Amino acid sequence: SSTSLSWNPNREGHLLSSCEQGEIYLWDIATLSRSDDDNGSKHLTCFEGNGSSITAIDWSKGNDYFFGSAGENGSVCLWDKRTDKKVTEVVAHQGRATGFQFNPIDTNIAATCGSDALVKIWDTRMPKDATNELKWHNNEVSRIAWAPFNKDVIASGGLDRRVAVWDMRKIGTKQNAEEALDGPPELLFVHGGHTAPIVGIDWNPLKEHSWLNLSGASDGRLQIWRMSGFLYDPQRRKHIKKLFKACSSRKRKRAKTKNAVKQGIAEGTVEGNPGGQLKTSMD
């Protein structure tokens, strides 16, 4: 049975399909007709894997011949249609590799996810080791989705019923102890609205709705959501911080006045009056 599909974004009509036996087929729908049988005789090319079931495939957005795949055995492979051969194979995850996706903006970058609860970022020009690991999920990560408007933003979800949004520009940012309790600095937001494992994530492609997300779970429920603009908009964040600073300044002034009154009471003589107010008189 088919396990994954991917249209070629740079070659009209070219489609990849994968199967549980580890094979990947390249099709040209222009050569197909309704009378074709289903024995696979009409595919253009069959890419032979290593026998492990393919869990995900994705074409590069930068050309019409390069694509990648992820497998049940934890391996990730890069393929070249021009030679009909595998270019690279690396063991990317312990256990299953469940997802593979090229970055839509920086086409040399790809992301993978796996049953080891990790999301990994790869430079396909030097694919021996991952360039970054995104760690927060506590169970298998089965879905990843790059933001179409920012090469550093990616969402991930899986069996822990959470969708995490990451901003890789924040990797290595210093945190205090309180901030560290919420996760690594690159973890921008966590959507916790689902009560079943995540089976799909997608970003709205329109610029005016760029931070609008869609996620689906195994219980059949879909949720459309958007994180607070404070988290991703520097201008909003600057405005909120300015308001917070002003509020903090007023609180400090009130606290200073209150402490001065307390000190006067402690040092002076407290007298009652008919109005119920406190009056102090210094010695």
Side-chain angles (χ1 to χ4, degrees), residues 2 107 109 171 210 216 245 249:
S2 295
T107 57
I109 302 300
I171 291 176
S210 56
K245 185 177 180 180
S249 178

Coordinates of all heavy atoms in Angstrom, one line a residue, residues 2 107 109 171 210 216 245 249:
S2 N 0.3 2.3 -0.5 CA 1.1 3.6 -0.5 C 1.2 4.2 0.8 O 0.2 4.2 1.6 CB 0.4 4.6 -1.5 OG 0.4 4.1 -2.8
T107 N 16.4 26.2 0.4 CA 16.2 24.8 -0.2 C 17.3 23.8 0.1 O 17.2 22.7 -0.2 CB 15.9 24.9 -1.7 OG1 17.1 25.6 -2.3 CG2 14.7 25.7 -2.0
I109 N 18.1 23.3 3.2 CA 17.8 22.8 4.6 C 16.6 21.9 4.5 O 15.6 22.1 3.8 CB 17.5 24.1 5.5 CG1 18.8 25.0 5.5 CG2 17.2 23.6 6.9 CD1 20.0 24.4 6.0
I171 N 17.9 30.0 19.0 CA 18.8 28.9 19.5 C 20.0 29.6 20.2 O 20.7 30.4 19.6 CB 19.2 27.9 18.4 CG1 18.0 27.1 18.0 CG2 20.3 27.0 18.9 CD1 18.3 26.2 16.9
S210 N -0.5 34.9 7.8 CA 0.7 34.0 7.8 C 0.9 33.2 9.1 O 1.5 32.2 9.1 CB 1.9 34.9 7.6 OG 2.1 35.9 8.5
G216 N -4.8 18.9 13.0 CA -5.8 17.9 13.1 C -5.3 16.7 14.0 O -4.1 16.5 14.1
K245 N 6.8 48.3 31.6 CA 7.7 49.1 32.3 C 7.1 50.3 33.0 O 7.4 50.6 34.1 CB 8.8 49.6 31.3 CG 9.9 50.4 31.9 CD 11.0 50.8 30.9 CE 12.1 51.6 31.5 NZ 13.1 52.0 30.5
S249 N 6.9 50.9 36.9 CA 7.3 52.2 37.5 C 6.3 52.8 38.5 O 6.6 53.2 39.6 CB 7.6 53.2 36.4 OG 8.0 54.5 36.9

